[in-house]
Amino acid sequence: MNLKRRIEEAGIDLPEETLERLEDFKQHLMKWNRIHNLTGAKTVPAVEEQIFDSIYPLVFLPPCDTLLDIGTGAGFPGMVLAIAMPDTECTLCEPLHKRASFLGFIARELGLENVTVEAKRVDALEPRPYDLVTSRAVTDTPTLIEWSGPFIGRQTHLLFYKGEHVFDEVKSLTHCDYELITRDKRNYLWIKDAFKC
């Protein structure tokens, strides 16, 4: 099943222009990845799965004005979400230079005026509250919550893309209001009212 159909069948309504930008992102990533080894996803189906994985939370997430993605890597989930949410101001934090360069290229190439790429570690970012803080495959949940601290305000939600270890990690979240949304082997840990954590 192609990416467009998967997105439609998931109930995610994206305009044709956005779907075209996702296709352009995929093509550029495939090209850059052959030279710079940005991600382990080497085939079209593998890259499409990463894109779908990144975008799936639009099924349940409320709209947000600002987003911070910690450790964006080759664009998952931050760049994909930025493409899908053009009205959201997205800050993509990626310390690895070759990946940050790719993210900057994509933002310019696709005309994504809502994207800021920060080529630095998250602890070097200027503290400010964001509506949504996301991260995928970076570190364990308690560490992610700690890193997110300077960016949590009264309205902040956290969204962490996790594997099976999340079931042990959430045992420590005694003060947090959270949901676990599972799709295949992916667990989306959605923490609401993050200031309580």
Side-chain angles (χ1 to χ4, degrees):
M1 187 188 306
N2 70 24
L3 180 61
K4 179 180 177 181
R5 190 167 164 199
R6 287 185 76 187
I7 291 170
E8 288 172 348
E9 290 196 357
I12 301 168
D13 185 22
L14 298 177
E16 194 62 36
E17 181 185 9
T18 298
L19 293 168
E20 288 171 5
R21 279 178 163 164
L22 289 173
E23 180 65 27
D24 289 344
F25 167 73
K26 180 183 77 177
Q27 298 297 340
H28 286 302
L29 178 56
M30 295 292 294
K31 192 180 298 182
W32 276 60
N33 205 32
R34 283 194 287 271
I35 301 165
H36 300 289
N37 194 29
L38 300 175
T39 173
K42 306 293 187 190
T43 65
V44 168
V47 172
E48 288 189 345
E49 172 56 36
Q50 304 298 337
I51 293 172
F52 184 73
D53 178 49
S54 298
I55 215 169
Y56 182 79
L58 295 186
V59 169
F60 56 83
L61 282 176
C64 63
D65 292 329
T66 58
L67 178 152
L68 169 65
D69 187 41
I70 298 174
T72 305
F76 309 119
M79 183 59 81
V80 175
L81 291 173
I83 292 169
M85 302 189 303
D87 295 328
T88 299
E89 174 200 321
C90 298
T91 301
L92 311 184
C93 179
E94 174 49 53
L96 196 63
H97 180 71
K98 65 180 182 179
R99 290 176 175 164
S101 295
F102 171 71
L103 297 172
F105 165 79
I106 288 295
R108 292 188 301 273
E109 187 73 10
L110 303 188
L112 302 174
E113 296 180 1
N114 63 323
V115 171
T116 301
V117 178
E118 294 283 2
K120 57 184 73 169
R121 290 166 51 95
V122 68
D123 56 9
L125 288 183
E126 188 173 331
R128 55 162 284 200
Y130 287 85
D131 294 338
L132 179 64
V133 179
T134 60
S135 190
R136 191 190 87 148
V138 173
T139 187
D140 61 85
T141 298
T143 302
L144 282 173
I145 291 173
E146 183 181 339
W147 288 357
S148 301
F151 314 105
I152 292 175
R154 298 293 290 184
Q155 310 298 325
T156 304
H157 291 218
L158 306 178
L159 176 65
F160 301 145
Y161 294 60
K162 306 295 292 183
E164 59 188 20
H165 295 299
V166 72
F167 297 103
D168 290 325
E169 294 174 359
V170 295
K171 291 174 183 175
S172 65
L173 303 184
T174 52
H175 303 295
C176 297
D177 176 20
Y178 70 87
E179 274 187 56
L180 266 176
I181 295 97
T182 299
R183 181 189 66 82
D184 297 334
K185 295 179 181 179
R186 167 66 71 210
N187 297 292
Y188 302 95
L189 175 58
W190 179 22
I191 300 175
K192 308 159 194 178
D193 298 331
F195 69 92
K196 295 179 181 177
C197 293

